[in-house]
């Protein structure tokens, strides 16, 4: 992450190297495309505490004019636990607004704990409304599941509307500029006249199993479409040599401006992460996505949002064999997406919220 | 970081170690009876003086000539013994919920060898952990000691429970506390159901230390409001300005945010209230089931 930011000219605080690794924790908790994100989140308590303390040091060494927390759960939690530590305007941004249980019928403990965590957050914000100077939800409230935060607690959407200001979803490009995939393919050197598939799983090694499944599926696709090609992006934590070689498949660890490649793909195969799937929605490209099993955000929040946009073919890793995925990829290639358009202007609106705090 | 009652190991300090280790050299150890330490039999093996000698041995082995000591409950007794034997070794003490029992009577607690708990160690662990942690929204904090408890057993806990304590008498406790010449910071939760707050107040008076009473907090403040405890430990370890941002119980929002007190170094005693994890409007509706039976799920 630091490398990507620096490559884009951003200043990365030297103390960042002292952050306890969240990525390593998530990876240690994941098995076979299964990551119980809520339980893993709970077991991050010492990482959260360590990283909050680092933040607390850093903001006292330098008097920053504004703190912007992009889903900075540890900063948000400990600032509400210790509101006297707030010494600057603080804005919290998020695209997920609560914990929802994955399996309440078979795991009542999970449901109980999710409700307790939600109750704590609600109480924090009720009791110390001055800790956050702005709460920004990235997206429209209709993109939130209309689920309960727990027995006796408000519903996700109702509570979010009370707490957050909504801005349209933010993608790192102007969708209107990426409506011509053929021209984009030429510009990126792909050429045209053959099916182009792109597979990507984000920045952790959690997606290894999905990439292996995808490689096997692509080998089957090639039998029906001998000229098909695939760009497989493994991410920084998976070496390309760890994945099988398939004729027509190009494996790369990192692809700058990945969204451009997704925007000209005939079909993308991705995890259920929000950033990548929403880039595909904005670019109106067909895609097959696999939410991580037991991942509350991907199973509830992202899936609901994609349903709202009428986008994506949702599949479950555990129930998918290579021929199933190959068939889904070929079928998706023959569809014309009729997604609900992604409203524009999210980034300027979010920036305006932040700028308001600077002018105070 | 001093070892404590052997129901937990050195990981109890997980909220403090990463921060302190960025600024200081930190040594933690598992108390006799838990995790990587030995498990001899009989109460005498778990006497405070034995633990104090273990602390000295750990200091020797780690090349630690002098240290700020952070201690919980019986860890304070051992710190007093260590300071009495080797005064230069303890250059400061953060005393959390002092276990110096002659200074004020203990809250009544059921011991592991009472008839009710015989043959039900996990049941006693649940009971004990619930007593230590009255705060709402502390399910993870509860699961930690429950999860560490299989590293020990009822015999060890019973042995420690009946071990010889030092200081043994009120005169002994007063003398040892007053003999402490290093800076002392006492942290005590207002809702501590294990060790009475009056003991923390008296220990702070006797040691001429600074007392911080944490409103709404139970027996394990280093777990529930870890940020405050960590910062306090770090600040007092530097022997620099110790700032405690205070709030009064039930006070208004404005006073919560602005009321502050501070002192250049511990001298005399003061009482501060910090923002409490007291139950909000939903917490009372969520009596989270705390039972080790849940542990097997995840």
């Amino acid at each position: 992450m630091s490398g990507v930011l620096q490559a884009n000219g951003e200043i990365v605080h030297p103390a960042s190297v002292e952050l306890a690794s969240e990525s390593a924790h998530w990876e240690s908790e994941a098995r076979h495309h299964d990551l119980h994100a809520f339980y893993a989140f709970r077991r991050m308590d010492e990482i959260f505490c360590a990283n909050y303390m680092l933040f607390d040091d850093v903001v006292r060494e330098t008097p920053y004019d504004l703190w912007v927390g992009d889903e900075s759960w540890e900063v948000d939690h400990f600032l509400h636990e210790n509101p006297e530590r707030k010494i600057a305007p603080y804005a919290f941004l998020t695209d997920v607004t609560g914990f929802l249980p994955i399996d309440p019928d078979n795991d009542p403990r999970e449901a109980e704990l999710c409700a307790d965590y939600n109750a704590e957050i609600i109480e924090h914000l009720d009791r110390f409304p001055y800790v956050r100077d702005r709460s920004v939800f990235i997206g429209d409230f209709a993109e939130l599941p209309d689920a309960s935060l727990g027995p006796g607690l408000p519903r996700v959407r109702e509570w979010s509307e009370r707490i957050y200001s909504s801005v349209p979803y933010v993608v790192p490009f102007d969708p209107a500029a990426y409506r011509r995939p053929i021209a984009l393919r030429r510009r990126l050197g792909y050429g045209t006249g053959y099916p182009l598939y792109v597979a990507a799983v984000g920045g952790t090694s959690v997606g290894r199993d999905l990439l292996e499944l995808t490689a096997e599926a692509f080998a089957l696709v090639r039998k029906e479409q001998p000229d098909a090609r695939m760009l497989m992006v493994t991410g920084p934590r998976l070496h390309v040599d760890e994945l099988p070689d398939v004729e027509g498949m190009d494996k790369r660890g990192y692809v700058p401006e990945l969204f451009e490649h997704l925007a000209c793909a005939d079909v993308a195969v991705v995890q259920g992460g929000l950033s990548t799937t929403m880039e595909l929605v904005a670019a109106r490209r067909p895609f097959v996505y696999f939410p991580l099993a037991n991942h509350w955000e991907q199973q509830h929040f992202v899936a609901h949002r994609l349903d709202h946009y009428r986008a994506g073919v949702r599949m479950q890793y555990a129930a998918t064999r290579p021929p199933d995925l190959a068939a889904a990829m070929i079928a998706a290639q023959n569809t014309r997406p009729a997604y609900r358009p992604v409203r524009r202007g999210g980034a300027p609106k979010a920036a305006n919220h932040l700028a308001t705090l600077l002018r105070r | 970081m001093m070892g404590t009652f052997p129901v937990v190991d050195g990981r109890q300090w997980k909220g403090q170690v990463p921060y302190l280790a960025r600024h200081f050299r930190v040594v933690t150890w598992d108390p006799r009876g838990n995790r990587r330490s030995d498990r001899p039999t009989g109460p005498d093996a778990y006497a405070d003086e034995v633990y104090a000698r273990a602390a000295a041995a750990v200091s020797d082995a780690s090349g630690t000539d002098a240290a700020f000591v952070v201690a919980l409950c019986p860890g304070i007794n051992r710190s007093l013994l260590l300071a009495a034997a080797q005064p230069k070794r303890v250059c400061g003490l953060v005393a959390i919920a002092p276990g110096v029992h002659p200074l004020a009577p203990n809250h009544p607690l059921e011991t592991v060898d009472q008839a009710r708990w015989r043959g039900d160690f996990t049941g006693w662990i649940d009971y004990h952990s619930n007593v230590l942690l009255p705060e709402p929204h502390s399910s993870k904090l509860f699961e930690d000691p429950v999860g560490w408890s299989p590293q020990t057993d009822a015999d060890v806990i019973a042995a420690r429970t009946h071990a010889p304590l030092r200081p043994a008498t009120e005169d002994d406790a007063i003398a040892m506390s007053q003999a402490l010449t290093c800076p002392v910071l006492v942290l005590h939760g207002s809702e501590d159901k294990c060790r009475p707050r009056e003991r923390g107040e008296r220990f702070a008076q006797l040691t001429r230390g600074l007392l911080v009473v944490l409103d709404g907090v139970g027996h394990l403040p280093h777990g529930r409001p870890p940020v405050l405890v960590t910062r306090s430990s770090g600040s007092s370890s530097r022997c620099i300005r110790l700032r405690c941002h205070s709030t009064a119980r039930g006070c208004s929002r404005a006073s919560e945010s602005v009321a502050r007190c501070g002192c250049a170094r511990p001298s005399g005693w003061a009482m501060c209230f910090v923002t409490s994890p007291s139950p909000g409007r939903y917490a009372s509706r969520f009596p989270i089931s705390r039972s080790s039976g849940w542990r097997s799920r995840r």
Side-chain angles (χ1 to χ4, degrees):
Chain A
M1 179 58 81
S2 298
V4 173
L5 290 170
Q6 282 169 327
N8 283 279
E10 302 291 349
I11 301 167
V12 175
H13 197 291
S16 300
V17 297
E18 296 188 51
L19 286 166
S21 173
E22 291 190 14
S23 296
H25 175 77
W26 291 118
E27 290 173 355
S28 73
E29 295 270 352
R31 296 282 183 284
H32 305 305
H33 209 72
D34 185 335
L35 172 59
H36 203 301
F38 174 64
Y39 286 135
F41 182 93
R42 294 184 77 233
R43 284 191 283 265
M44 281 177 72
D45 53 344
E46 58 197 280
I47 294 175
F48 281 155
C49 189
N51 288 345
Y52 171 77
M53 294 304 299
L54 182 65
F55 170 83
D56 193 85
D57 272 357
V58 164
V59 296
R60 277 160 179 77
E61 289 166 6
T62 306
Y64 294 103
D65 297 315
L66 175 64
W67 302 343
V68 182
D70 177 13
E71 292 192 7
S72 54
W73 298 107
E74 75 283 50
V75 171
D76 202 61
H77 173 79
F78 286 115
L79 280 180
H80 283 91
E81 288 277 287
N82 305 270
E84 72 281 356
R85 306 305 297 172
K86 171 186 158 79
I87 52 171
Y90 164 57
F92 180 78
L93 285 64
T94 186
D95 52 41
V96 58
T97 59
F99 298 102
L100 298 178
I102 289 292
D103 190 8
D105 293 333
N106 294 310
D107 188 357
R109 177 65 168 168
E110 182 202 19
E112 190 179 49
L113 290 170
C114 282
D116 187 56
Y117 274 59
N118 290 334
E120 183 177 39
I121 293 170
I122 293 168
E123 287 168 359
H124 272 162
L125 290 164
D126 282 352
R127 187 174 178 199
F128 302 113
Y130 55 90
V131 167
R132 289 188 193 171
D133 295 281
R134 200 70 94 229
S135 299
V136 179
F137 174 68
I138 307 295
D140 293 334
F141 292 123
E143 296 167 31
L144 283 168
D146 189 26
S148 169
L149 288 165
L153 298 178
R155 302 185 77 75
V156 173
R157 207 178 286 170
E158 164 206 345
W159 180 72
S160 302
E161 287 175 353
R162 182 160 62 82
I163 297 296
Y164 288 91
S165 302
S166 157
V167 301
Y169 191 82
V170 178
V171 288
F173 55 90
D174 178 2
Y178 288 88
R179 290 283 155 73
R180 295 184 176 177
I182 290 176
L184 189 55
R185 280 177 64 160
R186 288 202 180 103
R187 177 161 73 75
L188 295 173
Y190 285 115
T192 59
Y194 62 89
L196 174 63
Y197 297 89
V198 175
V201 291
T204 71
S205 64
V206 173
R208 176 196 305 271
D209 297 281
L210 177 57
L211 290 181
E212 288 173 350
L213 170 68
T214 305
E216 287 186 59
F218 180 67
L220 298 176
V221 169
R222 285 275 294 191
K223 289 182 179 170
E224 288 199 30
Q225 300 175 334
D227 56 346
R229 288 174 57 186
M230 169 170 272
L231 169 66
M232 176 171 282
V233 186
T234 64
R237 313 274 288 199
L238 279 175
H239 195 275
V240 292
D241 292 342
E242 296 176 53
L243 290 155
D245 291 314
V246 178
E247 188 74 26
M249 190 172 85
D250 178 20
K251 297 178 292 185
R252 289 192 232 168
Y254 173 67
V255 174
E257 314 293 1
L258 175 62
F259 67 86
E260 293 193 330
H261 301 259
L262 293 169
C264 67
D266 289 304
V267 176
V269 180
V270 295
Q271 251 176 211
L274 186 61
S275 298
T276 304
T277 53
M278 281 302 290
E279 287 167 14
L280 287 160
V281 173
R284 300 198 182 192
R285 304 312 304 155
F287 65 97
V288 177
Y289 73 103
F290 289 81
L292 286 164
N294 291 310
H295 191 298
W296 101 90
E297 183 181 357
Q298 294 196 4
Q299 293 283 349
H300 289 302
F301 282 85
V302 178
H304 179 87
R305 196 186 292 246
L306 295 178
D307 288 347
H308 171 81
Y309 283 101
R310 301 189 289 264
V313 176
R314 180 179 180 178
M315 299 185 78
Q316 298 296 345
Y317 172 82
T320 303
R321 313 294 304 163
D324 306 326
L325 177 55
M329 290 163 68
I330 292 169
Q333 192 217 333
N334 296 319
T335 61
R336 282 181 65 85
Y339 303 157
R340 193 191 292 260
V342 178
R343 284 205 300 137
R344 298 169 65 179
K349 284 187 174 159
N352 194 46
H353 280 293
L354 304 181
T356 304
L357 300 176
L358 287 171
R359 286 196 290 268
R360 292 207 301 189
Chain B
M1 313 299 279
M2 185 68 81
T4 188
F5 193 58
V7 77
V8 294
D9 63 37
R11 284 177 292 175
Q12 67 161 320
W13 303 113
K14 68 181 188 175
Q16 285 69 49
V17 170
Y19 171 81
L20 293 175
R22 282 195 290 111
H23 299 277
F24 310 99
R25 180 165 173 266
V26 182
V27 179
T28 67
W29 53 287
D30 299 325
R32 172 174 269 192
N34 201 299
R35 207 181 178 201
R36 291 167 294 188
S37 290
D38 56 355
R39 286 152 183 70
T41 56
D44 288 346
Y46 296 90
D48 281 326
E49 286 173 328
V50 175
Y51 280 105
R53 287 198 294 274
V58 167
S59 300
D60 288 340
S62 58
T64 309
D65 296 331
F68 251 86
V69 177
V70 182
L72 168 73
C73 199
I76 286 88
N77 307 38
R78 298 144 197 186
S79 305
L80 287 175
L81 291 165
L82 181 63
Q86 304 179 45
K88 290 184 178 171
R89 201 140 218 180
V90 180
C91 54
L93 173 63
V94 177
I96 303 170
V100 189
H101 70 281
L103 296 182
N106 279 331
H107 289 308
L109 287 179
E110 297 179 25
T111 60
V112 72
D113 53 351
Q114 276 180 227
R116 179 185 173 193
W117 301 115
R118 232 164 259 156
D120 185 14
F121 182 54
T122 54
W124 180 83
I125 288 289
D126 287 356
Y127 153 78
H128 185 253
S129 301
N130 273 307
V131 171
L132 303 190
L133 291 159
E135 300 95 331
H137 310 307
S138 298
S139 57
K140 180 60 171 63
L141 196 56
F142 171 85
E143 288 171 12
D144 282 342
V146 167
W148 299 331
S149 62
Q151 300 169 152
T152 188
D153 56 43
D155 291 341
V156 166
I157 300 303
R160 167 56 203 171
T161 301
H162 301 295
L165 303 178
R166 280 289 312 277
T169 64
E170 185 171 9
D171 288 347
D172 197 14
I174 292 170
M176 292 182 77
S177 301
Q178 288 179 330
L180 211 56
T181 56
C182 63
V184 174
L185 168 68
V186 180
L187 302 173
H188 212 115
S190 70
E191 304 306 312
D192 190 334
K193 308 296 183 205
C194 182
R195 302 294 176 241
R197 171 174 142 183
E198 295 72 21
R199 187 186 300 171
E201 293 171 356
R202 196 165 175 210
F203 186 71
Q205 282 178 309
L206 291 166
T207 57
R208 300 164 302 284
L210 177 72
L211 172 68
V212 178
V213 176
L214 301 125
D215 193 23
V217 174
H219 188 60
L220 304 176
H222 53 309
R224 176 61 217 198
V227 167
L228 177 99
V229 174
T230 306
R231 288 211 65 82
S232 299
S233 301
S235 299
S236 54
S237 298
R238 288 195 200 92
C239 224
I240 61 170
R241 182 176 172 80
L242 174 71
R243 302 174 76 191
C244 306
H245 301 214
S246 71
T247 65
R249 198 192 294 258
C251 63
S252 70
R253 182 189 311 163
S255 62
E256 278 180 342
S257 66
V258 300
R260 294 179 175 186
C261 71
C263 37
R265 55 166 295 161
S267 63
W269 68 282
M271 184 180 295
C272 312
F273 291 94
V274 299
T275 309
S276 73
S278 58
R281 63 181 169 135
Y282 293 115
S284 58
R285 293 193 220 161
F286 283 93
I288 290 294
S289 304
R290 287 169 164 187
S291 160
S292 55
W294 292 107
R295 193 156 32 102
S296 58
R297 290 189 176 275
R298 277 276 178 175

